[in-house]
Amino acid sequence: MTSPRHYLQFKDFSAEEYAYLFDRTRWLKARFKAYERYWPLQDRTLVMIFEKASTRTRLSFEAGMQQLGGSAIYLNTRDSQLGRGEPVEDAAQVISRMSDVVMIRTYEQAIIERFAACSRVPVINGLTNEYHPCQILADIYTYIEHRGPIQGKTVAWIGDSNNVCNTWLQAAEVFDFNVHVSTPPGYEVEPERAGLYGTDHFEQFSDPMMAVRDADIVTTDVWTSMGFEAENEARLRAFADWQVDAEMMRAAKPEALFLHCLPAHRGEEVTAEVIDGPQSAVWDEAENRLHTQKALLEFLLLGRVN
Ligand code: CP
Ligand code: NVA
């Protein structure tokens, strides 16, 4: 058995492969908007395993698979043997014999890597503690759609150096742009955990106002990610000065976009004025999860189709 291609972290694909995926995304999105049927994945089944909550990821994968003519099955830890100690390796053997592609949202990246090592079919990371590659796939597509190429641009990440931040950092190496990260003390980027090759594409700032200066994208995320709820009180105190507000947006370029993977907490990591304001592209960003992941599913299951 040859080992299938997986999508476990952003650097698993090259810039050239992303360019192909974005071309397909554009085409798939246009067809979807025109209600034109395109069913290349008839008789194919996606299994989605969720160990954490989700709205967008579940919806975009399930709707996307159906729109491509396939079907999607939802499993969660609570109602399956996965929550009762069945080894990940055994689950991977069984699930991958009954399906064509698997998407997993879980805790440690090591879990998804163990699953992938025993899977006969492609495995997609739908979020781990370390990474969220499908999110940044949609985010970069959204930026390109609104503003053109991202190469050479500056992304300001304000807040927690979490899974989404780590993925931006990997994307900066693939696409050759810069990330300015500002976190409170004690929450800085850990390059090894972020899976970086080097430190050429990012810079850390103690002052968030310095990080956003002349940025092309200003982005943030919740202060407390799923799995870290016990730290919530301490984080609310530590992150209070890392709220993206109108003053920060004014320090960025006038044409800067505001992005947020959602769900958002208005009044914590971002003000309502910014997320609901004219520079915010968060609804396009959320919608593009659907279109970019359809391109990803098509690519992993059928390879290049043009
Ligand atoms: N952005 C994102 O992954 O959202 P969900 O947690 O709703 O899937
Ligand atoms: N960093 C957040 C992203 C949610 C989509 C989390 O992991 O909870």
Side-chain angles (χ1 to χ4, degrees):
M1 187 183 78
T2 56
S3 123
R5 189 83 192 265
H6 303 297
Y7 190 52
L8 304 183
Q9 44 184 307
F10 200 87
K11 66 183 180 187
D12 287 349
F13 287 1
S14 67
E16 192 270 327
E17 286 170 326
Y18 282 113
Y20 168 80
L21 285 183
F22 291 155
D23 273 351
R24 291 302 298 161
T25 300
R26 217 165 289 118
W27 187 86
L28 288 161
K29 185 170 180 176
R31 280 195 83 118
F32 171 78
K33 298 280 177 189
Y35 294 98
E36 283 169 13
R37 180 178 293 183
Y38 177 58
W39 282 1
L41 301 186
Q42 253 175 313
D43 303 320
R44 305 293 176 103
T45 304
L46 164 70
V47 170
M48 307 182 293
I49 302 170
F50 283 92
E51 295 211 74
K52 294 176 177 171
S54 168
T55 297
R56 279 144 288 268
T57 303
R58 177 178 177 181
L59 181 60
S60 52
F61 270 107
E62 192 164 337
M65 198 63 191
Q66 284 173 13
Q67 289 163 21
L68 293 171
S71 54
I73 295 172
Y74 171 81
L75 291 180
N76 66 35
T77 321
R78 209 175 42 253
D79 309 326
S80 68
Q81 300 290 5
L82 292 162
R84 299 183 63 253
E86 181 165 17
V88 171
E89 290 76 8
D90 292 2
Q93 293 274 2
V94 174
I95 291 167
S96 70
R97 281 174 183 239
M98 299 192 199
S99 61
D100 301 285
V101 54
V102 179
M103 188 241 78
I104 306 179
R105 169 168 287 195
T106 187
Y107 292 90
E108 289 79 29
Q109 181 73 9
I111 298 173
I112 202 170
E113 281 170 7
R114 282 168 54 204
F115 190 105
C118 295
S119 173
R120 295 184 162 208
V121 301
V123 176
I124 298 171
N125 182 345
L127 182 146
T128 57
N129 288 351
E130 287 83 357
Y131 308 119
H132 196 1
C134 295
Q135 183 65 53
I136 303 309
L137 182 66
D139 289 13
I140 292 179
Y141 181 79
T142 305
Y143 182 78
I144 294 171
E145 208 176 32
H146 281 259
R147 297 283 186 267
I150 196 165
Q151 189 186 16
K153 303 291 183 189
T154 298
V155 176
W157 176 273
I158 308 301
D160 189 20
S161 64
N162 61 14
N163 41 12
V164 180
C165 174
N166 287 342
T167 309
W168 270 114
L169 293 168
Q170 287 199 358
E173 297 191 337
V174 175
F175 282 91
D176 191 21
F177 59 85
N178 308 302
V179 186
H180 289 177
V181 182
S182 182
T183 66
Y187 295 93
E188 291 88 355
V189 171
E190 298 167 52
E192 205 173 312
R193 184 171 157 86
L196 301 181
Y197 303 113
T199 50
D200 290 355
H201 291 86
F202 88 98
E203 204 176 328
Q204 305 215 57
F205 294 77
S206 48
D207 180 354
M209 286 304 289
M210 295 302 288
V212 293
R213 212 161 64 177
D214 294 327
D216 300 277
I217 296 176
V218 178
T219 185
T220 185
D221 187 10
V222 291
W223 290 338
T224 305
S225 286
M226 292 180 281
F228 297 83
E229 289 79 4
E231 300 174 15
N232 195 38
E233 289 304 312
R235 284 171 170 268
L236 281 175
R237 282 191 298 276
F239 284 83
D241 293 335
W242 275 262
Q243 179 186 69
V244 176
D245 59 12
E247 192 192 349
M248 279 194 199
M249 291 307 295
R250 275 194 296 277
K253 289 205 180 122
E255 68 275 20
L257 288 186
F258 173 76
L259 297 178
H260 189 309
C261 63
L262 306 176
H265 295 78
R266 288 172 177 75
E268 291 186 18
E269 75 273 8
V270 61
T271 61
E273 186 183 8
V274 169
I275 194 167
D276 300 320
Q279 285 170 279
S280 173
V282 298
W283 312 127
D284 288 340
E285 179 186 5
E287 179 190 325
N288 282 333
R289 293 290 304 278
L290 172 71
H291 308 301
T292 49
Q293 288 165 197
K294 282 167 76 176
L296 176 66
L297 288 165
E298 184 194 55
F299 180 62
L300 288 174
L301 286 169
L302 304 180
R304 293 185 194 234
V305 296
N306 71 4

